[in-house]
Amino acid sequence: MDLDLGLLVVRLALGPMLIVHGWNKVFGGGGLDGTTGWFRALGLRFPAVQARVAAATEMGAGVLMTLGLLTGLSSTAFVGLMAVAALTDHRGKGYFVFKGGWEYTLLVAMVAIGLAATGPGAWSLDDALGLDVAGPVWAVVSLVGGIAAAGLLMAVCYRPAVKDAAI
């Protein structure tokens, strides 16, 4: 029971956080137009499509994680999202998030992989529905699948601007 409570607390921290990130991409200050501009500035091709896909993936994976439903698959989405964020917005800024670094993205991805390994606990829809989508294999799936999805997206859609070299 203590473990189940702990897993619920972790899910309630991780899932809603990602839901709000996705919500903000759509309804925050600049809305989808602002997110599209931001993604364009990051060097992502098809930024309007990327903005919508990122927001939908964040909200969808966040809801699944919060509910403890398809935990291994939602963890894979978390890892993919965080890998893309680390490679685009946080790249080259060092480790610490207060300097714009990748500390946050690494932590979120690792916690998601941990949940894929342990499962969401007894207080989850996975447990209620008898779904077995967690464990060591799912932790590897989350890591490898998330990184592979991020790599594919980066290969197809990442074209950062080349900065002029000072002579």
Side-chain angles (χ1 to χ4, degrees), residues 23-92:
W23 184 267
N24 189 60
K25 283 178 175 60
V26 178
F27 301 108
L32 277 172
D33 288 339
T35 303
T36 297
W38 174 40
F39 281 14
R40 182 179 295 110
L42 290 174
L44 290 170
R45 293 176 62 205
F46 318 111
V49 173
Q50 297 295 333
R52 286 161 176 79
V53 169
T57 303
E58 287 176 347
M59 288 189 277
V63 167
L64 291 173
M65 184 65 74
T66 302
L67 298 173
L69 179 61
L70 303 174
T71 303
L73 293 174
S74 64
S75 295
T76 304
F78 270 78
V79 172
L81 288 161
M82 293 302 108
V84 170
L87 292 169
T88 57
D89 195 27
H90 300 275
R91 177 187 234 161

